[in-house]
Amino acid sequence: MIKVAACLALCISAAFSDASMPPSPGGPNEKAAIYSLSSADGQIQPASDRSKSKGKKIALKRFPDGPIAFRNYKQAIHPIEGYQTKLLPGWTFNFDNVIVTPDAEVITRITERNVAAFKWELEKRKARKRGRYIVEATLPETRPGIVAAPLWLYSEGAREGAHEFDFELMNGRIEYNLHNGNGGFNMRRVNKDLGGHRVRFEIDRQPNKVTMRIESLTDGFRDELVVTPTKVRKWAKVPGAPKNLRWPPNQTAMYPVMEFWVSNASDWAGKWEPLPPGESIEMVMHGYSFTEK
């Protein structure tokens, strides 16, 4: 992926058999296939690989409570705009599908031909190389074809190729992905339907360690994946892994992005049934937090 406005992360998973997969559909303008190395497909992460300490609950900040100005990139967030020509013909990231409410929450909306995404513009300007990012969102009821990515970290414009850590939820499943400039890798897959849940998503990026966590505030479900350079080196040796799969350099700046969109890869996300004119599907972003350790 080269530009956030023109690319999304997508993944189709395979079993942990060290067997390669043929290329599969990716997100808009994503050319490379994405592969899976999950030894726990369809299962919750074993306790030994999850945080054993609940820790102190972190209070979230509200999103900006004023209207978002068109193409004002000094704002805290700014919607991504653009027509998707590669794998989602007819779909557009639309400025008007990101709505700030009077309660300082952000509604992201899928309509008949438009989808939603936004960047944390101020975080991008700060060029952070480490830190703990948390967002809280209420997900829509599960519907085939919808992909929700409430939190991912991205390195737009990195000289060595764009890097990304992300969560994607689709059709009753959660996927954890690592992207480099040449394609994406599905690190873990969990069959858990979080449709309608209020959920906290966390990415804690520290030197040589990234911890990705999910917690449902609706039913208490928790899951965690710890990513290290050693794990990435092992994944890179799997037949069929994307070319040059590697650990994102610790000195590469990354910033948060949110996306809520529709996939035409029915074997991955389920078959999308078009919305009637005037109807919409919404994901509500309630708040966020950043701390640097």
Side-chain angles (χ1 to χ4, degrees):
M1 296 188 298
I2 299 174
K3 294 182 180 179
V4 177
C7 50
L8 293 164
L10 247 165
C11 39
I12 294 179
S13 299
F16 184 62
S17 60
D18 286 3
S20 63
M21 282 182 61
S24 56
N29 298 329
E30 180 64 55
K31 296 180 180 179
I34 298 177
Y35 302 87
S36 171
L37 253 192
S38 174
S39 60
D41 284 352
Q43 301 175 16
I44 297 175
Q45 191 91 356
S48 60
D49 200 22
R50 289 162 49 201
S51 173
K52 297 179 181 179
S53 174
K54 294 182 180 180
K56 186 177 180 180
K57 181 68 72 175
I58 294 177
L60 301 184
K61 298 178 182 178
R62 291 288 191 176
F63 287 94
D65 59 2
I68 301 171
F70 188 61
R71 294 184 181 173
N72 175 0
Y73 300 111
K74 295 182 180 180
Q75 300 168 116
I77 64 172
H78 192 279
I80 294 171
E81 310 159 69
Y83 179 68
Q84 298 304 303
T85 59
K86 185 69 177 178
L87 290 173
L88 291 180
W91 288 93
T92 301
F93 285 119
N94 192 311
F95 185 97
D96 294 331
N97 281 37
V98 178
I99 304 105
V100 178
T101 74
D103 295 326
E105 296 180 325
V106 179
I107 296 173
T108 57
R109 184 171 288 164
I110 292 173
T111 51
E112 187 179 5
R113 274 304 175 192
N114 295 292
V115 292
F118 63 78
K119 305 178 187 180
W120 271 261
E121 287 290 343
L122 292 186
E123 284 296 311
K124 179 182 177 183
R125 288 169 175 261
K126 293 174 183 176
R128 300 188 194 276
K129 300 177 177 64
R130 61 188 293 166
R132 184 181 183 187
Y133 299 85
I134 301 175
V135 298
E136 192 170 300
T138 293
L139 303 170
E141 294 295 332
T142 298
R143 180 186 175 109
I146 290 177
V147 182
L151 175 63
W152 45 291
L153 296 186
Y154 186 70
S155 64
E156 186 175 46
R159 293 181 60 186
E160 73 286 343
H163 298 277
E164 175 185 331
F165 291 98
D166 75 37
F167 301 100
E168 288 185 309
L169 297 91
M170 77 299 295
N171 214 22
R173 188 169 73 256
I174 307 164
E175 296 189 354
Y176 299 73
N177 304 308
L178 167 65
H179 282 252
N180 298 126
N182 295 292
F185 191 83
N186 177 214
M187 301 179 290
R188 174 166 165 69
R189 179 180 64 191
V190 179
N191 289 330
K192 169 64 177 179
D193 189 349
L194 293 175
H197 288 220
R198 183 160 174 155
V199 183
R200 281 199 176 199
F201 298 87
E202 176 180 336
I203 300 179
D204 186 356
R205 184 189 182 208
Q206 304 299 329
N208 296 322
K209 181 180 179 180
V210 168
T211 304
M212 303 174 69
R213 300 184 180 97
I214 291 178
E215 178 184 2
S216 169
L217 304 182
T218 301
D219 70 359
F221 167 83
R222 294 181 180 177
D223 194 57
E224 177 178 295
L225 176 67
V226 177
V227 188
T228 63
T230 299
K231 289 183 179 180
V232 174
R233 284 194 294 269
K234 291 180 179 179
W235 294 337
K237 296 177 182 179
V238 174
K243 180 182 177 182
N244 297 327
L245 182 70
R246 62 201 183 281
W247 175 260
N250 291 326
Q251 296 307 307
T252 295
M254 302 178 81
Y255 68 95
V257 181
M258 184 291 309
E259 290 176 336
F260 185 42
W261 56 290
V262 175
S263 171
N264 69 346
S266 59
D267 54 346
W268 174 65
K271 185 178 179 180
W272 168 254
E273 295 295 338
L275 289 173
E279 289 194 14
S280 65
I281 301 170
E282 297 179 347
M283 176 172 68
V284 181
M285 307 291 292
H286 300 289
Y288 68 96
S289 172
F290 172 81
T291 56
E292 186 172 5
K293 296 180 182 179

PDB file of all heavy atoms in Angstrom, residues 2 7 94 194 217 230 260:
ATOM      1  N   ILE A   2       0.520   2.222  -0.744  1.00  0.00           N
ATOM      2  CA  ILE A   2       1.328   3.407  -0.880  1.00  0.00           C
ATOM      3  C   ILE A   2       0.675   4.603  -0.235  1.00  0.00           C
ATOM      4  O   ILE A   2       1.273   5.320   0.520  1.00  0.00           O
ATOM      5  CB  ILE A   2       1.626   3.686  -2.361  1.00  0.00           C
ATOM      6  CG1 ILE A   2       2.393   2.502  -2.958  1.00  0.00           C
ATOM      7  CG2 ILE A   2       2.447   4.968  -2.507  1.00  0.00           C
ATOM      8  CD1 ILE A   2       2.619   2.600  -4.417  1.00  0.00           C
ATOM      9  N   CYS A   7      -5.756   2.734  -0.225  1.00  0.00           N
ATOM     10  CA  CYS A   7      -5.491   1.344   0.084  1.00  0.00           C
ATOM     11  C   CYS A   7      -6.112   0.927   1.398  1.00  0.00           C
ATOM     12  O   CYS A   7      -6.269   1.718   2.285  1.00  0.00           O
ATOM     13  CB  CYS A   7      -3.992   1.085   0.096  1.00  0.00           C
ATOM     14  SG  CYS A   7      -3.079   2.247   1.076  1.00  0.00           S
ATOM     15  N   ASN A  94     -16.142   8.771   1.448  1.00  0.00           N
ATOM     16  CA  ASN A  94     -16.845  10.040   1.353  1.00  0.00           C
ATOM     17  C   ASN A  94     -16.687  10.849   2.637  1.00  0.00           C
ATOM     18  O   ASN A  94     -16.928  10.352   3.743  1.00  0.00           O
ATOM     19  CB  ASN A  94     -18.332   9.778   1.079  1.00  0.00           C
ATOM     20  CG  ASN A  94     -19.082  11.024   0.668  1.00  0.00           C
ATOM     21  OD1 ASN A  94     -18.989  12.055   1.316  1.00  0.00           O
ATOM     22  ND2 ASN A  94     -19.832  10.918  -0.421  1.00  0.00           N
ATOM     23  N   LEU A 194     -18.487 -10.185  17.101  1.00  0.00           N
ATOM     24  CA  LEU A 194     -18.609  -9.007  17.966  1.00  0.00           C
ATOM     25  C   LEU A 194     -19.638  -8.022  17.423  1.00  0.00           C
ATOM     26  O   LEU A 194     -19.667  -6.861  17.843  1.00  0.00           O
ATOM     27  CB  LEU A 194     -17.250  -8.320  18.112  1.00  0.00           C
ATOM     28  CG  LEU A 194     -16.183  -9.110  18.877  1.00  0.00           C
ATOM     29  CD1 LEU A 194     -14.849  -8.378  18.850  1.00  0.00           C
ATOM     30  CD2 LEU A 194     -16.611  -9.369  20.318  1.00  0.00           C
ATOM     31  N   LEU A 217     -16.717  -4.840  25.849  1.00  0.00           N
ATOM     32  CA  LEU A 217     -17.344  -4.327  27.057  1.00  0.00           C
ATOM     33  C   LEU A 217     -18.771  -4.832  27.184  1.00  0.00           C
ATOM     34  O   LEU A 217     -19.449  -4.552  28.166  1.00  0.00           O
ATOM     35  CB  LEU A 217     -17.328  -2.796  27.041  1.00  0.00           C
ATOM     36  CG  LEU A 217     -15.943  -2.159  26.865  1.00  0.00           C
ATOM     37  CD1 LEU A 217     -16.037  -0.640  26.918  1.00  0.00           C
ATOM     38  CD2 LEU A 217     -14.954  -2.673  27.898  1.00  0.00           C
ATOM     39  N   THR A 230      11.339 -11.669  16.260  1.00  0.00           N
ATOM     40  CA  THR A 230      11.602 -13.109  16.109  1.00  0.00           C
ATOM     41  C   THR A 230      10.438 -13.809  15.427  1.00  0.00           C
ATOM     42  O   THR A 230      10.630 -14.641  14.525  1.00  0.00           O
ATOM     43  CB  THR A 230      11.858 -13.742  17.490  1.00  0.00           C
ATOM     44  OG1 THR A 230      12.999 -13.127  18.075  1.00  0.00           O
ATOM     45  CG2 THR A 230      12.094 -15.245  17.353  1.00  0.00           C
ATOM     46  N   PHE A 260     -14.087   1.800   7.579  1.00  0.00           N
ATOM     47  CA  PHE A 260     -15.356   1.068   7.657  1.00  0.00           C
ATOM     48  C   PHE A 260     -15.881   0.981   6.234  1.00  0.00           C
ATOM     49  O   PHE A 260     -16.290   1.970   5.656  1.00  0.00           O
ATOM     50  CB  PHE A 260     -16.323   1.840   8.564  1.00  0.00           C
ATOM     51  CG  PHE A 260     -17.625   1.144   8.843  1.00  0.00           C
ATOM     52  CD1 PHE A 260     -17.680  -0.213   9.112  1.00  0.00           C
ATOM     53  CD2 PHE A 260     -18.809   1.865   8.865  1.00  0.00           C
ATOM     54  CE1 PHE A 260     -18.882  -0.854   9.381  1.00  0.00           C
ATOM     55  CE2 PHE A 260     -20.018   1.255   9.148  1.00  0.00           C
ATOM     56  CZ  PHE A 260     -20.053  -0.112   9.404  1.00  0.00           C
TER      57      PHE A 260
END
